[in-house]
Amino acid sequence: MTGARRARRGAQRRQDSRRWCVPPAILREPDETLEGWHILLEHEGELAGSLWFAFRDVTLWAAVPDDRRDGLFAPSALGRRLERMGGCGGDAEIAAHLSALARVVDEPASANPDAVSATCAAVSRWAAARGAMGTAVAFAQAGALAVPGNAAAASAVGRLSARWGRLPRAETWLRRATGLGRRSHDWYAYAESYVELGTLYRRKRLPERSRRCFVLAARACRRHGYLQLRAAALHGLSLLYADTGEMEDAERHARMAIRAYGRGHPRVPEVLHDLAELLVARENHRGALPILQRLLPGRHVPGDRSFTLALIAHAAAARDRRLYEDAWSAAWALLDQPGGGGQASRTLLELARAAARARDWLRVSLTSGRQAEQAAIAREPGAAREMAHLAALAWRGASEGWGL
């Protein structure tokens, strides 16, 4: 056997062994003294009890080997579950799902794992739509445990955990999903999990890990033709490059993401807005202004709209005084509206930049005097330094009579 052939066989053996190394995942939070207790916190009465028992039934059933499931539950268990379901508050959708899960109690030896997982996923979606994220994660996890080799189910747990703000739990499930996806050749779940991991690491301020995850996702998507998922990875890379000050790369990846999504995709406005923000940061105000003006009518949430108006004010500050003043005043007024504080610290900093560019020292002073948002800005060292610099510039400009 030649040396090259032995090397190829050795590499194949190492690859085969790595394929089976799927890391375990966190199943409960550190403060979760009773498994699934968030279900009891998020619901009331018989509905809470029915959901919790269904979750526990599936979790217990999934933990027992197939050949030992017969006789797992007491003969009277099904009757008690059905009796409890009568108090579900008239919600026909959840009652139907819980009745389907009761099959696990009735016939544990013959219950189909894929059907059980699909029903758990439906309960998870029902709970997430009502803001009950603890319930949503619990049932997504129960569904993933029912089909332990399913990468898409594991990825769903990770995405919901991240949405719930449980980042350590989300990380373990997403890393498990990438391993399962690679093992089973479910490349969509593999790439989707890496996109979510990249976003998670960006939230945790780990840029190198985040970049690696986005790059792996983009490569897998390009290889297997997942164009829109590749766009999400490119968008993530754009935001990451913007975080690290690599504005040229950030703009290039944002434009690539827009092309990958294609015209009419619902996420294109979000990427366009990020692109416009990058153009403002790079002082390409001529390019940013028409994009922002085109996007403004669709920005209905007060916090989002105020931030867009602040960017318009910044882009117009040195070009169109009237547009600057109108946009600045509108953004300022929205800060005190219900829902206007969603991006208040970012909006305030952008308003200060706009006013400084326009040499409008009174408005710079107004932004630095808002105490409510200053606490959030203070948590960002770079933003805090910039706001302090702008406040000092305003004081100096006002005292020395700097004007337009």
Side-chain angles (χ1 to χ4, degrees):
M1 184 184 296
T2 66
R5 192 173 177 184
R6 280 197 301 270
R8 283 197 301 272
R9 286 196 174 183
Q12 184 64 46
R13 282 195 298 270
R14 288 194 298 274
Q15 182 179 359
D16 289 344
S17 66
R18 283 199 301 269
R19 287 175 61 193
W20 296 100
C21 296
V22 178
I26 294 175
L27 299 181
R28 65 169 71 182
E29 298 300 313
D31 62 343
E32 197 171 354
T33 54
L34 175 66
E35 190 176 13
W37 77 300
H38 288 98
I39 297 173
L40 302 174
L41 293 176
E42 294 172 346
H43 305 276
E44 297 179 349
E46 294 296 331
L47 177 59
S50 295
L51 287 166
W52 187 80
F53 273 109
F55 163 74
R56 290 289 292 132
D57 290 341
V58 174
T59 303
L60 173 61
W61 173 83
V64 175
D66 296 359
D67 57 353
R68 297 177 58 187
R69 287 175 178 167
D70 194 19
L72 181 61
F73 298 96
S76 59
L78 177 62
R80 292 199 300 271
R81 303 292 189 273
L82 295 176
E83 181 181 352
R84 188 179 291 275
M85 287 178 202
C88 285
D91 191 321
E93 180 185 358
I94 193 60
H97 295 325
L98 292 175
S99 297
L101 290 178
R103 179 176 171 78
V104 170
V105 177
D106 186 29
E107 300 176 0
S110 60
N112 185 294
D114 291 326
V116 172
S117 181
T119 306
C120 286
V123 177
S124 178
R125 290 191 297 270
W126 172 89
R130 288 156 177 78
M133 294 307 300
T135 305
V137 169
F139 274 92
Q141 180 174 290
L145 294 175
V147 282
N150 189 304
S155 182
V157 185
R159 293 196 310 274
L160 285 168
S161 298
R163 181 177 161 189
W164 193 25
R166 286 6 187 219
L167 299 189
R169 186 176 192 167
E171 181 181 358
T172 62
W173 277 102
L174 290 170
R175 295 200 67 83
R176 178 173 176 80
T178 61
L180 291 173
R182 187 175 183 85
R183 174 195 288 179
S184 62
H185 295 175
D186 185 347
W187 298 114
Y188 188 90
Y190 170 88
E192 183 181 41
S193 299
Y194 267 125
V195 169
E196 293 294 331
L197 269 173
T199 303
L200 184 148
Y201 286 137
R202 179 173 172 256
R203 288 173 66 181
K204 294 175 72 172
R205 302 178 186 277
L206 297 170
E208 291 306 318
R209 289 189 187 183
S210 179
R211 181 179 286 110
R212 179 177 180 273
C213 291
F214 284 133
V215 168
L216 286 171
R219 286 176 182 170
C221 291
R222 183 178 57 194
R223 189 178 303 119
H224 298 283
Y226 304 133
L227 196 60
Q228 294 186 359
L229 192 55
R230 180 170 181 264
L234 293 170
H235 185 200
L237 279 169
S238 172
L239 295 173
L240 185 64
Y241 281 124
D243 291 343
T244 56
E246 301 167 81
M247 294 303 182
E248 185 176 346
D249 286 331
E251 182 180 340
R252 178 167 58 86
H253 281 84
R255 295 187 185 279
M256 290 168 63
I258 292 168
R259 288 195 297 271
Y261 273 128
R263 185 177 299 176
H265 192 277
R267 291 201 64 185
V268 166
E270 178 188 349
V271 187
L272 278 171
H273 196 277
D274 291 335
L275 174 61
E277 187 179 351
L278 288 168
L279 293 175
V280 170
R282 300 189 72 194
E283 298 189 357
N284 183 355
H285 301 132
R286 184 188 296 274
L289 197 53
I291 297 175
L292 292 166
Q293 289 176 309
R294 189 166 70 248
L295 292 173
L296 183 62
R299 305 280 283 182
H300 301 297
V301 178
D304 295 341
R305 188 174 181 85
S306 66
F307 183 58
T308 303
L309 285 164
L311 288 170
I312 290 174
H314 190 169
R319 299 171 54 83
D320 188 330
R321 182 72 182 189
R322 183 173 179 179
L323 177 58
Y324 154 73
E325 290 184 347
D326 290 346
W328 202 102
S329 299
W332 182 263
L334 283 171
L335 284 173
D336 294 319
Q337 295 292 320
Q343 302 191 61
S345 59
R346 296 178 68 202
T347 300
L348 201 66
L349 185 56
E350 204 61 49
L351 287 173
R353 291 167 178 160
R357 186 172 184 81
R359 293 176 174 264
D360 190 349
W361 309 122
L362 176 60
R363 284 187 167 130
V364 176
S365 300
L366 284 174
T367 59
S368 61
R370 281 185 67 108
Q371 297 301 317
E373 288 79 15
Q374 291 303 323
I377 292 175
R379 290 193 290 270
E380 302 284 343
R385 284 193 298 269
E386 184 177 0
M387 184 61 85
H389 170 73
L390 292 172
L393 194 65
W395 180 85
R396 186 180 174 194
S399 63
E400 298 184 9
W402 296 349
L404 294 174

